[in-house]
Amino acid sequence: MNKHRDWRFELLRIIAMFLIVATHFYAADNWSIHTDPNLSRTWASAAHDSLAMFGQIGVSFFILISAYFLAFNKKKPIPRLIRLWIQIFIYSAGIFVIYALLRRTPLIPTNLREEISPNMVLTSFFPITFNAYWFMSAFCVLILLAPFITILFDQLSKRQTLVLISIMFWMTFVWKLLNPTNQYFTDVIYLTTIFMIGSFIRRYASEFPKIKIWHLFITIILGFFVCISCTYFIKSEAFLSEYYNANILTAGPGASPIIPVIIATVIFIRIVQREQKQAPKLLANFILCVSPATFGVYLIHENFLFKQILWHYIFLIPESSGSLKIIISIFIIILLYAALMTLSWIILNFLINPLTRKLIHR
């Protein structure tokens, strides 16, 4: 299998999950810049809030990669969906069982102990139906839609495909900016729009203008500047805050993450356009070995029962000051990511893969 996988995209998958973990770290931190109301209308607070963009860049990378490799795939999606469902179920149900066994032990803080409820059981054992993970629920729907998008794109001309993507992009992102109350932005539509962009890139990348490295820097810097500026003015100007949520350009309920999608798309096109270089064999094999475990990292640290406990222990570490805070936070995120990746790799190779092979005959 490794011979057919491009290490560049697998490395991008690893980076994407790192960005997602980093985003969740900063979204959960208890730093004063995040919790002190007196600092909420400062440029530093706007910059901190804008870090949520990293997560949406990571999400966009995942969908663009999937679209790139499924752009011409018309096979039945059910086997792929079953494999994904098994992985999601094992993590969701497994964490529930562990939580139920440890709920009254000192390992789980008293203020984070929840009573076992029917909704908790249903969410844990039917994670897709009850939306235990927003991304996974939407991604499963996207897997079902993917072959039909391929069939549709096969029948459309390049111009027609571009018009369709423009309509989806407008409906998903731009319309939300013009009227934040509209309800056309959904998780499924969001991922579907990015998938269409990725499929279009696969089909017509050779006709795109060449993306240079300075294009990337300008896109990233300008994107963050616009996001930070808009976040600052929305939080500090009453007439704007009445109309927009401060997170409109970043992530979360009510957001239109148009800037992260643009940044991720430009980076992805640059990667696609570059010729594949031969990586050192040891490094390439390591990347190809580790990358399949990235989904597990998400399923562990974003589990609704586990994530509050995880961040409770992480943020027992006292808040540092100045630039030291940035250095320490990056160091903690790297250690956390490495630990989650190791655990996920073990579960994938010693539990999920053997079980999947038994349930799905190849």
Side-chain angles (χ1 to χ4, degrees):
M1 291 178 62
N2 288 356
K3 293 180 181 179
H4 300 286
R5 290 163 57 200
D6 190 327
W7 69 270
R8 298 174 303 163
F9 295 102
E10 299 307 312
L11 177 59
L12 185 62
R13 200 188 304 274
I14 294 171
I15 294 172
M17 186 53 66
F18 179 81
L19 295 177
I20 291 172
V21 173
T23 291
H24 293 153
F25 174 93
Y26 291 115
D29 70 51
N30 57 0
W31 296 349
S32 57
I33 198 68
H34 197 182
T35 59
D36 188 347
N38 296 322
L39 299 176
S40 63
R41 297 183 178 181
T42 62
W43 283 100
S45 177
H48 179 276
D49 292 349
S50 296
L51 293 174
M53 286 178 59
F54 286 126
Q56 298 309 308
I57 292 173
V59 167
S60 298
F61 281 152
F62 267 110
I63 303 304
L64 290 170
I65 293 169
S66 297
Y68 190 79
F69 289 103
L70 293 176
F72 299 104
N73 192 320
K74 300 177 186 177
K75 294 181 180 179
K76 294 179 180 179
I78 300 302
R80 184 178 294 107
L81 183 63
I82 292 174
R83 286 193 292 270
L84 180 61
W85 183 87
I86 290 172
Q87 187 172 358
I88 297 170
F89 176 82
I90 287 175
Y91 278 105
S92 183
I95 291 175
F96 169 80
V97 171
I98 294 171
Y99 177 84
L101 293 174
L102 300 179
R103 189 167 62 89
R104 297 192 181 278
T105 68
L107 291 175
I108 299 180
T110 305
N111 62 316
L112 297 180
R113 296 175 189 172
E114 298 183 28
E115 293 297 326
I116 304 293
S117 65
N119 184 65
M120 183 187 294
V121 176
L122 288 172
T123 302
S124 297
F125 285 89
F126 300 94
I128 302 303
T129 302
F130 287 87
N131 206 30
Y133 306 91
W134 77 266
F135 175 78
M136 290 302 178
S137 294
F139 189 62
C140 285
V141 176
L142 180 61
I143 286 177
L144 293 174
L145 294 176
F148 300 99
I149 295 174
T150 298
I151 294 171
L152 175 62
F153 277 21
D154 283 346
Q155 301 302 314
L156 298 178
S157 66
K158 177 184 175 183
R159 183 177 181 278
Q160 290 170 328
T161 304
L162 192 58
V163 170
L164 175 59
I165 293 173
S166 299
I167 293 171
M168 294 292 292
F169 192 85
W170 172 274
M171 185 176 70
T172 307
F173 301 109
V174 181
W175 200 346
K176 189 75 175 180
L177 294 176
L178 298 176
N179 177 18
T181 62
N182 90 67
Q183 301 300 313
Y184 292 102
F185 185 103
T186 66
D187 296 336
V188 173
I189 294 296
Y190 174 39
L191 299 192
T192 301
T193 302
I194 301 173
F195 186 91
M196 287 183 172
I197 294 171
S199 182
F200 185 83
I201 292 171
R202 176 62 185 272
R203 291 167 181 266
Y204 302 107
S206 61
E207 302 177 31
F208 288 13
K210 289 294 182 181
I211 302 292
K212 301 185 182 299
I213 192 68
W214 64 268
H215 293 148
L216 297 186
F217 284 117
I218 290 178
T219 303
I220 294 170
I221 294 171
L222 183 61
F224 272 91
F225 174 78
V226 170
C227 187
I228 292 171
S229 299
C230 290
T231 302
Y232 172 78
F233 287 114
I234 290 172
K235 294 175 76 171
S236 55
E237 299 293 340
F239 76 96
L240 287 175
S241 59
E242 289 180 4
Y243 192 66
Y244 289 107
N245 293 331
N247 69 323
I248 184 67
L249 291 176
T250 54
S256 172
I258 183 172
I259 294 177
V261 172
I262 292 173
I263 291 174
T265 301
V266 173
I267 295 173
F268 189 75
I269 293 173
R270 164 72 178 180
I271 293 173
V272 169
Q273 288 180 337
R274 293 199 67 186
E275 293 184 6
Q276 181 180 358
K277 294 183 178 180
Q278 189 68 31
K281 187 175 181 180
L282 185 62
L283 175 61
N285 286 339
F286 175 77
I287 292 171
L288 295 174
C289 176
V290 169
S291 64
T294 50
F295 265 156
V297 172
Y298 179 84
L299 293 169
I300 295 171
H301 89 280
E302 263 298 278
N303 180 273
F304 73 102
L305 294 174
F306 180 66
K307 61 182 178 181
Q308 294 186 42
I309 301 169
L310 171 67
W311 299 126
H312 166 81
Y313 281 108
I314 292 293
F315 292 111
L316 289 177
I317 301 171
E319 179 182 353
S320 304
S321 59
S323 59
L324 184 62
K325 181 189 299 184
I326 299 174
I327 296 172
I328 291 178
S329 67
I330 294 174
F331 180 71
I332 294 172
I333 293 168
I334 291 173
L335 287 180
L336 174 63
Y337 187 52
L340 291 171
M341 185 69 85
T342 302
L343 177 59
S344 175
W345 187 90
I346 293 171
I347 295 172
L348 177 68
N349 287 280
F350 291 95
L351 178 59
I352 294 174
N353 283 345
L355 181 60
T356 302
R357 283 192 289 267
K358 289 183 179 180
L359 295 176
I360 303 178
H361 300 288
R362 297 184 177 180

